[in-house]
Amino acid sequence: MTTTGEERRTAGGPWWWQRRRSAVLDVGLAGVSALECCVEGAVFTDRVGLGALLGVVLGLVVGSVLVLRRRWPVAVVLVALAVSPAEMGLVLGFVGLYTLAASDVPRRITAVLASMSGLGSLVVSLVRMGQHVDGNGSPMTPWFTPSMAVLMALGMTAPPVLLGLYVGARRRLMESLRERADSLERELQLLAERAEERAEWARGEERRRIAREMHDVVAHRVSLMVVHSTALQAVALKDPEKAAKNAALVGDMGRQALTELREMLGVMRASSGVPVARAAEPEPVVAVPEPRAVLVEEEQGPSLAELDELVGQSRAAGMAVEFSVEGEGSGYGARVERVAYRVVQEALTNAHKHAAGAATRVRLARRPEEVAMQVENGPPPEGGVDAQLPSGGNGLVGMRERVLALGGVFVAGPTDAGGFRVSAVLPVGE
């Protein structure tokens, strides 16, 4: 991970300096300014009769103020303005104006102080040049002295202010870019965390989908096989012809279960893009699946047209099933028909498990905007043969998940007569 802007700002030098080299630079500039102020101060105080020593001390103190330029730039410029009549502080004023323009001080304050500095430089230049002209006694044009004074004032004020404004704008731009980079880095971290969460969620959804498919394919067929094998044991000695018929049915259902398992595994391998011969090899994850992608069922699978065959298998297993269809709706999507078929299949499987021999009614209502199905069984008859089929409670959970994934309504529960009813309504618009 890269260093953030906050870490860069806090990693600095002593006191108010952000970096040690900034402190070294300011101390060096303060030393140059103090030396310049000492020389010019000694000349000025000696000229006015105050002694050179006082000018050296004053210049040392005034020039050293430049070390505070990053902390108090306004104070540095004010000190430079205060000592400008003494013809000292050239470096102090130049660097102070640059620092003031480059800092975050409001622009109106910068403009006022720069104007005052320019005006002070103009007055000092006029006085010095006037004294020089008077001392030499050389005739000059009237406009020469004001023009040179204006040029000197602009030369002492404009370059540091313009340079400071440019450096300050560039510095703020770089800070803004660093903050944007830090923000983007944090957003990328959040996106990576969310992508990992979505990947984990997608893996969980895929595991649940595979579990539903395995349950739908295996549970119904195996339940019917167990029911037939139980009946086979009961009639093996009494009715050999019926026993042979039941044995053939068990074999057919076993082969159908194996066929459906192979088809499902083939579809899963094809949808993941892994060749059958290399299915055992691990493949790296190159993309995070979309949240709804794991909910999309394969186009291959059972449909409502196969309900007659499904009901016929339950009747062949000895269940009294009444099947009725209402309405003329058609043209449902593959997912809708697949889920509707699985709901009826699982409801019949539960009836075989928990109410063997009970009368069961299957109703299908086709409508233009929805398809509804209901499977209701009565209480198990007294003295009926219990197939003792295990139940993990996953059937109702799987049906509910399938129906809710399509935006439908699912209701299941016992009836007043002692039976059980499963109802579902699926919208047909995708």
Side-chain angles (χ1 to χ4, degrees), residues 11-250:
W15 295 342
W16 56 82
W17 286 286
Q18 296 179 358
R19 291 170 298 202
R20 288 184 176 87
R21 64 179 183 179
S22 300
V24 173
L25 176 62
D26 288 356
V27 171
L29 289 175
V32 173
S33 175
L35 180 61
E36 181 256 338
C37 288
C38 287
V39 173
E40 293 182 347
V43 172
F44 176 77
T45 54
D46 185 64
R47 188 170 64 244
V48 297
L50 296 177
L53 181 61
L54 178 61
V56 171
V57 174
L58 180 62
L60 183 64
V61 173
V62 171
S64 300
V65 173
L66 193 59
V67 78
L68 306 174
R69 69 185 186 95
R70 298 180 191 268
R71 184 70 171 178
W72 295 293
V74 175
V76 172
V77 175
L78 290 177
V79 171
L81 287 173
V83 299
S84 60
E87 302 177 3
M88 59 188 295
L90 178 66
V91 176
L92 181 66
F94 195 93
V95 178
L97 285 176
Y98 162 79
T99 306
L100 179 67
S103 66
D104 295 330
V105 175
R107 289 291 167 257
R108 62 179 181 274
I109 297 179
T110 302
V112 170
L113 292 178
S115 301
M116 293 173 60
S117 178
L119 182 60
S121 300
L122 178 62
V123 172
V124 172
S125 299
L126 285 173
V127 172
R128 294 184 64 178
M129 292 188 66
Q131 293 175 352
H132 180 73
V133 170
D134 294 341
N136 292 337
S138 303
M140 293 185 180
T141 59
W143 51 265
F144 177 78
T145 300
S147 299
M148 293 301 297
V150 170
L151 288 177
M152 292 184 65
L154 289 176
M156 291 296 298
T157 306
V161 171
L162 294 178
L163 181 61
L165 291 175
Y166 167 75
V167 172
R170 186 175 180 274
R171 182 185 302 153
R172 285 186 288 273
L173 176 61
M174 295 302 295
E175 285 292 329
S176 175
L177 291 177
R178 277 196 291 267
E179 291 177 359
R180 289 183 61 185
D182 296 338
S183 177
L184 288 175
E185 184 178 2
R186 288 191 293 269
E187 290 179 3
L188 287 177
Q189 290 177 351
L190 292 176
L191 288 176
E193 293 175 358
R194 292 190 61 185
E196 182 62 27
E197 293 176 358
R198 289 173 61 189
E200 185 63 29
W201 180 86
R203 287 191 290 268
E205 285 295 324
E206 187 67 14
R207 286 194 293 267
R208 286 189 288 271
R209 187 183 68 82
I210 294 174
R212 287 197 300 266
E213 289 296 313
M214 296 291 292
H215 183 274
D216 291 338
V217 170
V218 176
H220 181 72
R221 301 293 182 186
V222 174
S223 298
L224 292 181
M225 290 170 64
V226 173
V227 171
H228 280 292
S229 63
T230 303
L232 180 61
Q233 293 175 356
V235 301
L237 299 178
K238 300 179 182 179
D239 192 348
E241 182 178 354
K242 187 175 182 180
K245 182 179 179 181
N246 287 340
L249 286 174
V250 171

Side-chain angles (χ1 to χ4, degrees), residues 269-291:
R269 288 173 178 171
S271 63
S272 62
V274 181
V276 176
R278 299 176 57 192
E281 299 181 7
E283 292 291 333
V285 178
V286 297
V288 179
E290 292 295 328

Side-chain angles (χ1 to χ4, degrees), residues 320-385:
V321 184
E322 177 186 349
F323 180 49
S324 62
V325 180
E326 304 173 4
E328 300 294 336
S330 61
Y332 303 142
R335 290 187 64 196
V336 174
E337 296 210 359
R338 181 186 181 91
V339 171
Y341 179 92
R342 292 303 189 192
V343 169
V344 176
Q345 182 187 51
E346 181 58 30
L348 289 176
T349 301
N350 288 341
H352 282 290
K353 288 181 180 179
H354 307 292
T360 304
R361 184 179 181 184
V362 179
R363 298 175 59 190
L364 178 68
R366 294 177 175 268
R367 298 163 187 153
E369 298 181 354
E370 63 185 14
V371 57
M373 65 233 58
Q374 184 181 88
V375 180
E376 180 180 354
N377 63 268
E382 296 181 2
V385 179

